[in-house]
Amino acid sequence: MPAMIVTGAARGIGLELVRRAVADGRRVIATHRPGPPSQALDDLAAAHPAKLRLMALDVGDPADVEGFGARVGEPVDALVNNAGVLLERNADTLAQTMTWAAFETSFRINAIAPLFVARSVLPLMTAPARILTISSFMGSLSYAKSDTTAYRASKAAVNKAMQALATDLAPRGIAVAVIHPGWVRTDMGGAGADLSVEESAAGVLAVLDRLDLSGTGRFYRVDGTEAPW
Ligand SMILES: NC(=O)c1ccc[n+]([C@@H]2O[C@H](COP(=O)([O-])OP(=O)(O)OC[C@H]3O[C@@H](n4cnc5c(N)ncnc54)[C@H](OP(=O)(O)O)[C@@H]3O)[C@@H](O)[C@H]2O)c1
């Protein structure tokens, strides 16, 4: 059975995507930052040794990303680019806390990495296959708010990169899309957010399952409707 890859699966939405996908009987490769996996991910792997493979991957390290596909070395039919960072909470364009370094890191992890992780695993994918990147409505150009500028800009950038990738991969029969997972109660989303990780992950996996060439190159909400770019 070809595997589904989920990046940044140590906690939050990524961990729940893995938990649910394994429970559904899928073969899953869950990546975590180099070093020991989180206890939750480790426990899950121990409970499902045949279904779940853990791999270390720093999505912000170009060499690690470039060699990732070769290390995976097995057929893949789905990639979920989930790993992400929100570094300068509430920092508008003029805030002293909105630094060059944090802006750069936001782009590295949120915008550049998803494209290069996809390129790394592409040789393992044969049609029909799917690439879904967890973006955010905060990156929608229709949403004119300035707080958390670096995060918003990085998500707008990944939307564009994935739209372009969708164009390039359509002739190969590989569908590509981005999704806003809702405002979710994770370390990033905070305790006051709208959705549980269970609700969000269920929606993300439903969109992933339905994704084919008829819906490639689109920006989805977690309920499967289309979001404005
Ligand atoms: N929560 C929300 O309301 C919300 C809303 C819209 C979009 N999103 C997006 O949904 C995705 C998941 O968010 P979340 O809420 O689950 O966030 P989270 O709880 O902060 O988890 C982020 C995950 O990304 C991993 N990660 C970060 N940098 C990494 C790197 N360089 N290499 C590998 N893994 C890395 C983290 O690993 P460590 O544990 O090692 O740090 C962690 O597992 C993100 O792309 C986020 O932007 C979230």
Side-chain angles (χ1 to χ4, degrees):
M1 181 189 297
M4 163 182 162
I5 297 175
V6 180
T7 65
R11 58 194 165 97
I13 298 168
L15 176 64
E16 186 57 28
L17 286 171
V18 171
R19 196 190 306 280
R20 183 170 279 264
V22 167
D24 287 347
R26 302 180 196 218
R27 169 155 177 78
V28 180
I29 297 173
T31 81
H32 59 88
R33 266 192 248 239
S38 63
Q39 191 62 52
L41 193 54
D42 208 23
D43 290 347
L44 202 55
H48 301 277
K51 286 280 171 209
L52 179 55
R53 175 181 171 195
L54 304 189
M55 291 184 68
L57 172 68
D58 179 350
V59 302
D61 177 342
D64 205 13
V65 169
E66 199 177 327
F68 177 61
R71 284 197 290 127
V72 169
E74 62 175 293
V76 171
D77 65 359
L79 165 66
V80 181
N81 280 308
N82 165 77
V85 289
L86 194 167
L87 297 174
E88 308 238 290
R89 208 169 281 275
N90 301 326
D92 66 25
T93 51
L94 305 180
Q96 293 299 326
T97 50
M98 214 268 302
T99 62
W100 184 301
F103 211 102
E104 209 167 61
T105 303
S106 301
F107 266 69
R108 175 179 281 257
I109 306 300
N110 296 346
I112 303 171
L115 177 59
F116 284 87
V117 171
R119 285 173 46 141
S120 185
V121 301
L122 258 181
L124 305 169
M125 289 183 146
T126 45
R130 305 164 169 124
I131 297 172
L132 184 63
T133 295
I134 314 284
S135 180
S136 171
F137 191 67
M138 287 173 78
S140 173
L141 296 183
S142 70
Y143 186 19
K145 241 183 142 185
S146 78
D147 68 84
T148 320
T149 310
Y151 181 79
R152 288 177 187 276
S154 68
K155 292 297 191 180
V158 80
N159 284 358
K160 194 63 191 169
M162 289 297 136
Q163 187 192 50
L165 186 65
T167 303
D168 293 335
L169 292 185
R172 294 202 213 173
I174 298 174
V176 181
V178 289
I179 186 168
H180 170 58
W183 183 27
V184 190
R185 293 189 291 277
T186 63
D187 295 337
M188 185 185 291
D194 292 335
L195 300 182
S196 66
V197 283
E198 291 83 1
E199 290 166 324
S200 176
V204 170
L205 287 177
V207 169
L208 180 72
D209 282 344
R210 280 200 302 273
L211 182 60
D212 62 18
L213 287 183
S214 68
T216 197
R218 298 192 185 157
F219 183 15
Y220 292 100
R221 296 189 187 89
V222 74
D223 64 3
T225 58
E226 268 191 72
W229 292 107

